Amino acid sequence: MTAVDKSSPEPDLSSEQPEFARTETSSGKSVEEVLSAAGVDFRPDDPSLPCLTIRMWTIGIAFCLVGSGVNTLYTLRFPSVSLSQSAIQFLAYPIGKAWQYVVPDWGVTVLGQRHSLNPGPFNYKENMLIYILANLSFLTRLSADVLTEQRVFYGLHAGWGFELLATLTTILYGFALAGLGRSLVVEPKDLVWPGVLGNTALNAALHSSRKEEVEGTVSRYRFFLMAFMASFCWYWLPDFLFPALGYFTWVCWIAPRNPVVNQIFGMKSGIGLFAFHI
């Protein structure tokens, strides 16, 4: 029998872990823990889930038209109304679920591939693709601001052809820069973009199992509902109703259609002279 040298050091198992798992953030947590909390798991992808479906394209294109139209139209008005990409991601979930239960399973077969109106449960891939479509279409407002200023301030009417090409150019130019810098800002696993972690967490909360609970904790979906109701009560009442009750512009009530009076005594569109505050 050979003696075992117990004084020999044990192998360092941490060196066998991937470098990505050992990378830590400024708060001391590993990148893997941060991404897992944001709903980004490292489980193998399920290729059987349908994503490029008729349902996804229909809901996504509809939200692109409505969202970009509302944001472009109301950005020139006061008070302005805007739809965020996260709101579209949230609104797409009940619409996709309603489509799942209402629309029949009708479809056609093209080149051996069946395309159905209702391919099954509305999954997280479809929801995320709808968010990506909305995120890209909402950028049209940036070019709309430039084209509007050209018309209003400089009297330049270039025509719809130039305006359409200018809008496409601004978006495609961003795609080109992203493609050129893919190896630097996309492929490295150590690079974490905090701006998208909220959307991945929302997607994971909406599509997580309702029974996915650990003892002493709540599921992502239930926690999201509680946080949503609390934030709605907190922001809707103080931020929307109370500011309207916080001041009393009595002079504007005397002449509500007089521009000079509103510019002098108005709180929103004037300097707020002689206004009573509560």
Side-chain angles (χ1 to χ4, degrees), residues 43-50 124-125:
R43 293 172 295 182
D45 182 33
D46 186 4
S48 63
L49 288 178
Y124 65 93
K125 290 185 178 181

PDB file of all heavy atoms in Angstrom, residues 43-50 124-125:
ATOM      1  N   ARG A  43     -30.069  28.326 -18.488  1.00  0.00           N
ATOM      2  CA  ARG A  43     -30.600  27.039 -18.916  1.00  0.00           C
ATOM      3  C   ARG A  43     -30.559  26.941 -20.437  1.00  0.00           C
ATOM      4  O   ARG A  43     -30.614  27.954 -21.130  1.00  0.00           O
ATOM      5  CB  ARG A  43     -32.033  26.876 -18.414  1.00  0.00           C
ATOM      6  CG  ARG A  43     -32.142  26.757 -16.903  1.00  0.00           C
ATOM      7  CD  ARG A  43     -33.585  26.788 -16.462  1.00  0.00           C
ATOM      8  NE  ARG A  43     -34.202  28.071 -16.745  1.00  0.00           N
ATOM      9  CZ  ARG A  43     -35.452  28.374 -16.419  1.00  0.00           C
ATOM     10  NH1 ARG A  43     -36.209  27.479 -15.816  1.00  0.00           N
ATOM     11  NH2 ARG A  43     -35.944  29.563 -16.696  1.00  0.00           N
ATOM     12  N   PRO A  44     -30.493  25.730 -20.966  1.00  0.00           N
ATOM     13  CA  PRO A  44     -30.473  25.584 -22.432  1.00  0.00           C
ATOM     14  C   PRO A  44     -31.746  26.144 -23.055  1.00  0.00           C
ATOM     15  O   PRO A  44     -32.840  26.049 -22.494  1.00  0.00           O
ATOM     16  CB  PRO A  44     -30.359  24.062 -22.626  1.00  0.00           C
ATOM     17  CG  PRO A  44     -29.795  23.545 -21.346  1.00  0.00           C
ATOM     18  CD  PRO A  44     -30.308  24.448 -20.270  1.00  0.00           C
ATOM     19  N   ASP A  45     -31.584  26.723 -24.206  1.00  0.00           N
ATOM     20  CA  ASP A  45     -32.725  27.303 -24.904  1.00  0.00           C
ATOM     21  C   ASP A  45     -33.655  26.203 -25.401  1.00  0.00           C
ATOM     22  O   ASP A  45     -33.209  25.110 -25.758  1.00  0.00           O
ATOM     23  CB  ASP A  45     -32.230  28.151 -26.072  1.00  0.00           C
ATOM     24  CG  ASP A  45     -33.370  28.818 -26.814  1.00  0.00           C
ATOM     25  OD1 ASP A  45     -34.371  29.170 -26.158  1.00  0.00           O
ATOM     26  OD2 ASP A  45     -33.269  28.972 -28.041  1.00  0.00           O
ATOM     27  N   ASP A  46     -34.939  26.502 -25.410  1.00  0.00           N
ATOM     28  CA  ASP A  46     -35.940  25.562 -25.894  1.00  0.00           C
ATOM     29  C   ASP A  46     -36.279  25.923 -27.338  1.00  0.00           C
ATOM     30  O   ASP A  46     -37.068  26.838 -27.585  1.00  0.00           O
ATOM     31  CB  ASP A  46     -37.190  25.615 -25.021  1.00  0.00           C
ATOM     32  CG  ASP A  46     -38.210  24.547 -25.404  1.00  0.00           C
ATOM     33  OD1 ASP A  46     -37.899  23.728 -26.302  1.00  0.00           O
ATOM     34  OD2 ASP A  46     -39.300  24.526 -24.812  1.00  0.00           O
ATOM     35  N   PRO A  47     -35.699  25.241 -28.316  1.00  0.00           N
ATOM     36  CA  PRO A  47     -35.959  25.611 -29.717  1.00  0.00           C
ATOM     37  C   PRO A  47     -37.357  25.253 -30.190  1.00  0.00           C
ATOM     38  O   PRO A  47     -37.760  25.668 -31.279  1.00  0.00           O
ATOM     39  CB  PRO A  47     -34.899  24.815 -30.489  1.00  0.00           C
ATOM     40  CG  PRO A  47     -34.603  23.641 -29.617  1.00  0.00           C
ATOM     41  CD  PRO A  47     -34.758  24.116 -28.200  1.00  0.00           C
ATOM     42  N   SER A  48     -38.105  24.496 -29.394  1.00  0.00           N
ATOM     43  CA  SER A  48     -39.453  24.114 -29.814  1.00  0.00           C
ATOM     44  C   SER A  48     -40.471  25.231 -29.621  1.00  0.00           C
ATOM     45  O   SER A  48     -41.580  25.160 -30.159  1.00  0.00           O
ATOM     46  CB  SER A  48     -39.909  22.872 -29.040  1.00  0.00           C
ATOM     47  OG  SER A  48     -39.993  23.151 -27.642  1.00  0.00           O
ATOM     48  N   LEU A  49     -40.119  26.258 -28.852  1.00  0.00           N
ATOM     49  CA  LEU A  49     -41.054  27.358 -28.634  1.00  0.00           C
ATOM     50  C   LEU A  49     -41.165  28.202 -29.901  1.00  0.00           C
ATOM     51  O   LEU A  49     -40.160  28.672 -30.429  1.00  0.00           O
ATOM     52  CB  LEU A  49     -40.591  28.237 -27.469  1.00  0.00           C
ATOM     53  CG  LEU A  49     -40.716  27.654 -26.070  1.00  0.00           C
ATOM     54  CD1 LEU A  49     -40.163  28.630 -25.040  1.00  0.00           C
ATOM     55  CD2 LEU A  49     -42.158  27.316 -25.742  1.00  0.00           C
ATOM     56  N   PRO A  50     -42.365  28.426 -30.402  1.00  0.00           N
ATOM     57  CA  PRO A  50     -42.509  29.275 -31.597  1.00  0.00           C
ATOM     58  C   PRO A  50     -42.310  30.736 -31.232  1.00  0.00           C
ATOM     59  O   PRO A  50     -42.749  31.202 -30.178  1.00  0.00           O
ATOM     60  CB  PRO A  50     -43.954  28.999 -32.039  1.00  0.00           C
ATOM     61  CG  PRO A  50     -44.665  28.607 -30.782  1.00  0.00           C
ATOM     62  CD  PRO A  50     -43.652  27.884 -29.931  1.00  0.00           C
ATOM     63  N   TYR A 124     -42.596  33.620 -23.741  1.00  0.00           N
ATOM     64  CA  TYR A 124     -41.740  34.766 -23.443  1.00  0.00           C
ATOM     65  C   TYR A 124     -40.949  35.233 -24.655  1.00  0.00           C
ATOM     66  O   TYR A 124     -40.563  36.408 -24.738  1.00  0.00           O
ATOM     67  CB  TYR A 124     -40.789  34.424 -22.296  1.00  0.00           C
ATOM     68  CG  TYR A 124     -39.792  33.335 -22.604  1.00  0.00           C
ATOM     69  CD1 TYR A 124     -38.524  33.639 -23.082  1.00  0.00           C
ATOM     70  CD2 TYR A 124     -40.113  31.995 -22.418  1.00  0.00           C
ATOM     71  CE1 TYR A 124     -37.605  32.650 -23.361  1.00  0.00           C
ATOM     72  CE2 TYR A 124     -39.203  30.995 -22.699  1.00  0.00           C
ATOM     73  CZ  TYR A 124     -37.953  31.322 -23.168  1.00  0.00           C
ATOM     74  OH  TYR A 124     -37.045  30.333 -23.455  1.00  0.00           O
ATOM     75  N   LYS A 125     -40.689  34.351 -25.613  1.00  0.00           N
ATOM     76  CA  LYS A 125     -39.957  34.767 -26.807  1.00  0.00           C
ATOM     77  C   LYS A 125     -40.790  35.733 -27.645  1.00  0.00           C
ATOM     78  O   LYS A 125     -40.279  36.751 -28.137  1.00  0.00           O
ATOM     79  CB  LYS A 125     -39.571  33.544 -27.635  1.00  0.00           C
ATOM     80  CG  LYS A 125     -38.505  32.670 -27.002  1.00  0.00           C
ATOM     81  CD  LYS A 125     -38.090  31.564 -27.944  1.00  0.00           C
ATOM     82  CE  LYS A 125     -36.985  30.713 -27.331  1.00  0.00           C
ATOM     83  NZ  LYS A 125     -36.534  29.639 -28.248  1.00  0.00           N
TER      84      LYS A 125
END
